[in-house]
Amino acid sequence: MKVYIKVCRMQGLKLGEDVKIFERVYFGSEPFLIEIGDKTQIAGGTRFVNHGGTTKTLRRLQGFEDIRIFGRIKIGKNCTIGSNCVIQQDVEMGDNCILGAGSVLTHSIPDNVVFSGNPARFICSTEQYAESLLDQNTLYPRDLENDREKLNGWLKENLPYEYKKSKVYKKTIKTE
């Protein structure tokens, strides 16, 4: 991945300071059309689509020979992009945003929001999401964050076996 990112940067990909890219991320065939802000993290499987490949089919049709789609993608500062997201051309993601795993972002989104889904839709503000997570917050000695092996050991020994409640689904059963 490090070599791939280096090649993309040589082709014009703009990465801010302290950007974290996990596993395999695809910057498309035109990485020079992509800009990613400082302190953003991008999970594996994410794809940046900066051109429309469907135009090949359309160009074979009479009267549509000149159709081409290219667009820039801009990701703000301090954003998180979940696993296996697709970000399409002509999209700008504001600062302090979260894009949920598996989302397809087809439109620009403002600062400080959480979007998720296919297509991605507004879920809540970033602050509302943070507040909702306080109820589920895992308290552990923060000094363990500097030693992942010790933190993993602490979690293994101390994290309670608590799970989300199941949802009740009603089935309609026909009786004869």
Side-chain angles (χ1 to χ4, degrees), residues 86 99-100 102-107 109 115-123:
V86 176
L99 185 61
S103 296
V104 178
L105 190 59
T106 60
H107 291 87
I109 61 176
F115 269 62
S116 190
N118 181 4
R121 297 187 198 301
F122 175 78
I123 302 298

Side-chain angles (χ1 to χ4, degrees), residues 84-95:
N84 300 311
C85 287
V86 176
I87 301 170
Q88 293 187 331
Q89 71 276 352
D90 299 321
V91 166
E92 181 176 1
M93 191 170 165
D95 296 339

Side-chain angles (χ1 to χ4, degrees), residues 93-163:
M93 191 170 165
D95 296 339
N96 307 309
C97 290
I98 298 170
L99 185 61
S103 296
V104 178
L105 190 59
T106 60
H107 291 87
S108 295
I109 61 176
D111 295 346
N112 305 305
V113 294
V114 176
F115 269 62
S116 190
N118 181 4
R121 297 187 198 301
F122 175 78
I123 302 298
C124 61
S125 73
T126 305
E127 187 175 321
Q128 288 170 322
Y129 182 61
E131 288 173 359
S132 74
L133 291 181
L134 285 176
D135 293 338
Q136 306 167 43
N137 195 30
T138 302
L139 296 176
Y140 58 81
R142 295 297 185 226
D143 60 317
L144 294 179
E145 290 177 344
N146 297 323
D147 186 336
R148 189 61 194 210
E149 189 174 325
K150 287 183 181 178
L151 175 59
N152 289 349
W154 189 94
L155 290 170
K156 186 176 180 182
E157 291 295 319
N158 296 289
L159 198 65
Y161 287 88
E162 294 176 6
Y163 304 96

Side-chain angles (χ1 to χ4, degrees), residues 3-176:
V3 171
Y4 173 69
I5 292 170
K6 187 174 183 177
V7 168
C8 289
R9 288 185 94 163
M10 288 173 32
Q11 293 175 345
L13 171 67
K14 293 178 185 158
L15 290 180
E17 296 294 318
D18 200 27
V19 172
K20 303 280 189 239
I21 299 171
F22 302 95
E23 297 176 18
R24 195 72 170 142
V25 172
Y26 302 93
F27 292 108
S29 53
E30 296 85 23
F32 53 87
L33 297 176
I34 301 169
E35 181 179 342
I36 299 170
D38 299 341
K39 297 183 179 176
T40 287
Q41 54 189 11
I42 305 167
T46 295
R47 293 181 171 273
F48 290 80
V49 180
N50 39 29
H51 75 274
T54 59
T55 59
K56 273 195 171 190
T57 299
L58 299 175
R59 287 194 302 260
R60 293 184 194 107
L61 301 175
Q62 182 73 33
F64 299 102
E65 297 85 2
D66 291 326
I67 288 181
R68 304 290 188 279
I69 298 173
F70 287 92
R72 297 183 184 278
I73 297 171
K74 183 177 180 182
I75 307 300
K77 297 176 183 176
N78 192 39
C79 292
T80 296
I81 299 171
S83 300
N84 300 311
C85 287
V86 176
I87 301 170
Q88 293 187 331
Q89 71 276 352
D90 299 321
V91 166
E92 181 176 1
M93 191 170 165
D95 296 339
N96 307 309
C97 290
I98 298 170
L99 185 61
S103 296
V104 178
L105 190 59
T106 60
H107 291 87
S108 295
I109 61 176
D111 295 346
N112 305 305
V113 294
V114 176
F115 269 62
S116 190
N118 181 4
R121 297 187 198 301
F122 175 78
I123 302 298
C124 61
S125 73
T126 305
E127 187 175 321
Q128 288 170 322
Y129 182 61
E131 288 173 359
S132 74
L133 291 181
L134 285 176
D135 293 338
Q136 306 167 43
N137 195 30
T138 302
L139 296 176
Y140 58 81
R142 295 297 185 226
D143 60 317
L144 294 179
E145 290 177 344
N146 297 323
D147 186 336
R148 189 61 194 210
E149 189 174 325
K150 287 183 181 178
L151 175 59
N152 289 349
W154 189 94
L155 290 170
K156 186 176 180 182
E157 291 295 319
N158 296 289
L159 198 65
Y161 287 88
E162 294 176 6
Y163 304 96
K164 293 177 184 177
K165 293 181 181 178
S166 64
K167 294 182 179 182
V168 177
Y169 297 96
K170 294 181 179 179
K171 289 186 178 182
T172 304
I173 302 173
K174 280 189 173 183
T175 55
E176 296 190 40

